[in-house]
């Protein structure tokens, strides 16, 4: 059973994923599992190295001479954070598919393994926390997974289950607003080309409000979803039905917000 400091570490790690943009609990568990697997491979390799030194018998390495940088003990210290992210994504995860354990290939099980963490700082936090977990003590791994799976029972209440994009597309078509953008709205799309299927409301100046109104009214759609802090539907003359959506804060860990607030107050 996970209790005390270990439980706090897991809760903190879960919160790190939440604030880092990964809120699907199944994906969080998957990514934690991959990182734990990477560390356990290095632990196994270290154990075999010590055994080989003691018995003077060689062994089949998980990390051959040219791939020592893919070991947990090596890449956990890589800086800057962006370089660690690149190494994990482009080298460590592809290496999972080449690993042989006890004569069996893991490729079949790891063929779809992907690093879904996109933020370097989140990866560093996750690596640092997993590095502190006592994975070699007793049945810690079993207790850890039991606790992680228990979080699935509350995930639906917190709204952490997301409808997959391909299911959304079956239910409703999201119109790309970029071809209809004018003025400063068009410039925002040009500056941030990765944005799609959303219409940014930037600044709220009088001129920009008019440009936003013109853009919305030009888009050929049946409904406009408004997700801005203020209700733009009361400020713009929109020529089609509009629905305002709201967002609420859900605590990923019971004491996380209080802890962060108190930490700032004590500075």
């Amino acid at each position: 059973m996970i209790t005390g400091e270990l439980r706090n570490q897991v809760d903190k790690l879960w919160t790190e994923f939440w604030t880092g943009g990964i809120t699907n609990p199944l994906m969080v568990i998957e990514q934690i599992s991959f990182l734990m697997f990477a560390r356990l491979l290095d632990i196994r390799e270290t154990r075999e190295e010590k055994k080989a030194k003691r018995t003077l018998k060689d062994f089949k390495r998980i990390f051959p001479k040219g791939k020592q940088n893919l070991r947990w003990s090596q890449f956990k210290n890589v800086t800057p954070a962006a370089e660690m992210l690149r190494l994990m994504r482009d080298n460590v995860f592809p290496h999972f598919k080449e690993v042989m354990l006890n004569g069996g290939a893991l490729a079949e099980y790891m063929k779809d393994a992907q690093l879904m963490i996109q933020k370097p700082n989140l990866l560093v936090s996750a690596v640092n926390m997993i590095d502190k977990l006592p994975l070699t003590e007793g049945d810690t791994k079993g207790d850890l997974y039991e606790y992680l799976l228990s979080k699935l029972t509350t995930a639906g209440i917190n709204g952490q289950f997301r409808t997959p994009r391909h299911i959304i597309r079956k239910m409703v078509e999201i119109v790309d607003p970029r071809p209809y953008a004018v003025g400063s709205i068009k410039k925002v799309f040009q500056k941030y080309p990765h944005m799609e299927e959303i219409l940014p409301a930037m600044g709220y100046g009088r001129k920009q409000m008019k440009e936003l109104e013109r853009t919305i009214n030009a888009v050929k759609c049946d409904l406009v979803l408004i997700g801005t802090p203020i209700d733009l539907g009361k400020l713009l003359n929109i020529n089609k039905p509009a629905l305002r959506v709201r967002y609420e804060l859900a605590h990923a860990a019971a004491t996380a917000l209080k802890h962060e607030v108190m930490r700032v107050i004590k500075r």
Side-chain angles (χ1 to χ4, degrees):
M1 183 177 180
I2 296 293
T3 58
E5 181 59 29
L6 180 56
R7 179 172 180 148
N8 292 336
Q9 289 179 21
V10 175
D11 286 341
K12 186 176 181 182
L13 178 57
W14 192 277
T15 304
E16 289 281 350
F17 274 94
W18 174 279
T19 57
I22 301 180
T23 57
N24 184 321
L26 294 176
M27 185 177 292
V28 173
I29 294 175
E30 176 192 65
Q31 294 299 297
I32 290 176
S33 299
F34 288 149
L35 293 177
M36 286 173 54
F37 176 70
R39 185 183 168 203
L40 288 169
L41 285 181
D42 188 36
I43 291 174
R44 177 190 174 98
E45 188 85 336
T46 300
R47 185 187 305 122
E48 292 298 321
E49 287 173 341
K50 291 179 179 178
K51 180 179 178 181
K53 187 176 181 180
R54 185 175 65 253
T55 62
L56 300 180
K57 293 182 179 180
D58 201 5
F59 67 100
K60 183 174 179 60
R61 291 184 171 275
I62 298 173
F63 302 97
K65 187 176 181 179
K67 295 188 176 182
Q68 289 294 299
N69 64 321
L70 305 185
R71 298 179 65 164
W72 179 274
S73 55
Q74 298 296 316
F75 70 71
K76 72 175 184 179
N77 298 315
V78 169
T79 55
E83 176 59 22
M84 179 191 290
L85 179 63
R86 185 203 63 77
L87 181 65
M88 288 284 290
R89 182 190 63 230
D90 300 340
N91 300 98
V92 175
F93 269 66
H95 181 63
F96 286 165
K97 304 170 187 179
E98 303 172 4
V99 173
M100 298 282 291
L101 289 178
N102 300 325
L106 285 173
E108 181 63 26
Y109 305 101
M110 304 298 288
K111 63 181 180 181
D112 297 322
Q114 295 183 45
L115 180 66
M116 302 304 294
I117 300 174
Q118 302 296 325
K119 297 183 178 181
N121 291 337
L122 172 58
L123 177 60
V124 171
S125 296
V127 168
N128 288 340
M129 290 181 194
I130 290 176
D131 193 55
K132 298 176 182 177
L133 297 177
L135 298 182
T136 59
E137 297 180 9
D139 192 29
T140 301
K141 293 187 291 295
D143 291 340
L144 177 60
Y145 274 106
E146 183 179 349
Y147 181 59
L148 288 174
L149 290 173
S150 73
K151 288 182 172 291
L152 293 177
T153 62
T154 58
I157 297 174
N158 291 337
Q160 289 171 272
F161 288 113
R162 300 297 181 87
T163 304
R165 179 64 63 179
H166 66 284
I167 299 298
I168 293 177
R169 292 188 184 282
K170 285 292 184 180
M171 298 187 296
V172 61
E173 179 184 357
I174 302 177
V175 179
D176 186 350
R178 291 175 293 183
Y180 307 93
V182 299
S184 59
I185 307 298
K186 184 175 183 178
K187 291 180 180 179
V188 171
F189 281 123
Q190 292 172 342
K191 186 175 181 179
Y192 303 100
H194 66 281
M195 291 197 306
E196 56 183 23
E197 298 182 344
I198 61 170
L199 186 58
M202 309 288 289
Y204 298 158
R206 181 173 297 180
K207 180 174 181 292
Q208 193 171 63
M209 292 281 280
K210 282 295 182 182
E211 292 170 343
L212 181 60
E213 180 179 283
R214 287 173 53 199
T215 299
I216 292 175
N217 290 339
V219 176
K220 297 178 180 180
C221 64
D222 300 312
L223 176 70
V224 178
L225 287 180
I226 301 175
T228 50
I230 62 173
D231 188 356
L232 289 178
K234 295 181 178 180
L235 302 177
L236 304 178
N237 293 317
I238 301 176
N239 63 1
K240 51 183 68 69
L243 176 67
R244 189 183 182 195
V245 294
R246 298 174 182 272
Y247 302 90
E248 295 182 359
L249 174 67
H251 294 283
T255 60
L257 182 59
K258 179 179 179 180
H259 171 76
E260 292 301 319
V261 171
M262 294 304 298
R263 183 174 61 84
V264 173
I265 293 176
K266 291 178 181 179
R267 286 180 179 175

